[in-house]
């Protein structure tokens, strides 16, 4: 806007986004170290970007790795309002799953409502990709990689906990590993990440360097 234009209306969108750090994950589990939504979202963004890059470099895709990172960064933004619903509860049955999807959609819209009207469309494409774009071609594949990145981040958390001697996460690790394996069967870049980048997780800094 140019000098002399009307004063910009106050918006709470980014103040709300900053509250990701207050949303704790794994609420039903005893953790050796708590994990918040902000940490998880950054890790998902990094992994989603890596998966898209691997897909482009090794498998001839033309995916937007930057968009993958953004989608990963905001993939659980609705939890700023809803909190983290534990996976066993969220997917206990179809009725609960569908009801929670409606809750998530309403929370995403509530966040978008806090944006200025001129900025809202750009962020809708990130927060609500399923509602913004046709789910086909590269876009659908990109969404699949973000979901895989989410599962990989969860698996990394499980590995960290079991390496620390926390038996609480053994069952979650087995379930999450099975989900990642299933995704890797359809996404070679996920299989590459599991084989090449996952094994070092859990090592000490001296071992990594």
């Amino acid at each position: 806007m140019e000098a002399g234009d009307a004063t910009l209306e106050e918006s709470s969108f980014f103040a709300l986004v900053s509250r990701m750090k207050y949303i704790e994950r794994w609420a039903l589990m005893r953790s050796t170290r708590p994990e918040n939504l902000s940490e998880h979202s950054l890790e998902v963004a990094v992994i989603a970007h890596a998966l898209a890059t691997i897909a482009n470099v090794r498998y001839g895709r033309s995916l937007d790795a930057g968009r993958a990172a953004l989608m990963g960064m905001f993939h659980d933004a609705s939890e700023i309002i809803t909190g983290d619903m534990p996976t066993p509860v969220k997917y206990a049955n179809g009725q609960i799953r569908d009801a929670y999807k409606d809750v998530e959609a309403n929370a995403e819209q509530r966040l978008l409502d806090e944006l200025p009207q001129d900025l809202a469309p750009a962020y809708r494409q990130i927060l609500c990709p399923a509602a913004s774009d046709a789910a086909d071609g590269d876009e659908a594949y990109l969404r699949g990689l973000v979901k895989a990145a989410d599962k990989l981040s969860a698996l990394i958390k499980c590995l960290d906990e079991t390496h620390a001697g926390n038996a609480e996460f053994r069952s979650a690790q087995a379930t999450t590993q099975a989900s990642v394996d299933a995704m890797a069967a359809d996404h070679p870049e996920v299989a590459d990440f599991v084989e090449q980048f996952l094994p070092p997780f859990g090592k000490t800094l001296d071992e990594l360097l």
Side-chain angles (χ1 to χ4, degrees):
M1 300 181 69
E2 297 180 359
D5 287 344
T7 302
L8 294 174
E9 184 178 353
E10 184 177 289
S11 168
S12 62
F13 177 80
F14 290 105
L16 285 165
V17 170
S18 75
R19 297 182 64 84
M20 282 188 182
K21 58 183 173 285
Y22 301 134
I23 309 301
E24 289 196 11
R25 289 170 47 78
W26 307 95
L28 300 182
M29 311 283 281
R30 176 180 57 82
S31 300
T32 59
R33 192 189 75 81
E35 179 186 60
N36 65 51
L37 181 58
S38 184
E39 295 171 313
H40 170 66
S41 297
L42 174 59
E43 188 166 64
V44 172
V46 170
I47 296 172
H49 184 275
L51 293 177
T53 301
I54 294 169
N56 291 339
V57 173
R58 295 181 178 174
Y59 298 102
R61 294 274 179 177
S62 298
L63 303 175
D64 185 342
R67 175 164 170 74
L70 277 174
M71 289 169 65
M73 198 180 302
F74 285 94
H75 79 287
D76 276 341
S78 63
E79 293 181 6
I80 296 165
I81 295 173
T82 68
D84 178 38
M85 173 72 77
T87 297
V89 178
K90 188 187 299 186
Y91 298 105
N93 59 58
Q95 186 176 4
I96 292 176
R97 182 194 63 228
D98 293 343
Y100 191 72
K101 283 184 177 179
D102 289 339
V103 171
E104 287 179 321
N106 288 333
E108 289 167 352
Q109 185 58 53
R110 183 70 181 87
L111 287 172
L112 288 169
D113 288 344
E114 297 302 321
L115 278 165
Q117 289 186 355
D118 59 337
L119 299 182
Y123 282 90
R124 179 179 296 279
Q125 294 178 15
I126 302 169
L127 268 71
C128 313
S132 304
D133 305 292
D136 56 13
D138 286 348
E139 178 66 20
Y141 200 84
L142 204 61
R143 291 180 206 172
L145 293 188
V146 174
K147 289 180 180 179
D150 186 29
K151 285 296 182 182
L152 282 164
S153 176
L155 180 57
I156 289 166
K157 170 62 175 175
C158 292
L159 291 170
D160 285 345
E161 291 291 335
T162 55
H163 286 159
N166 184 5
E168 182 88 1
F169 277 74
R170 284 187 305 193
S171 177
Q173 180 177 332
T175 301
T176 308
Q177 182 71 65
S179 295
V180 169
D181 291 344
M183 291 176 169
D186 296 323
H187 297 84
E189 49 284 316
V190 176
D192 281 9
F193 189 95
V194 169
E195 179 179 353
Q196 192 165 25
F197 297 109
L198 195 61
F201 281 91
K203 292 184 178 181
T204 67
L205 180 60
D206 287 340
E207 290 171 333
L208 290 171
L209 295 177

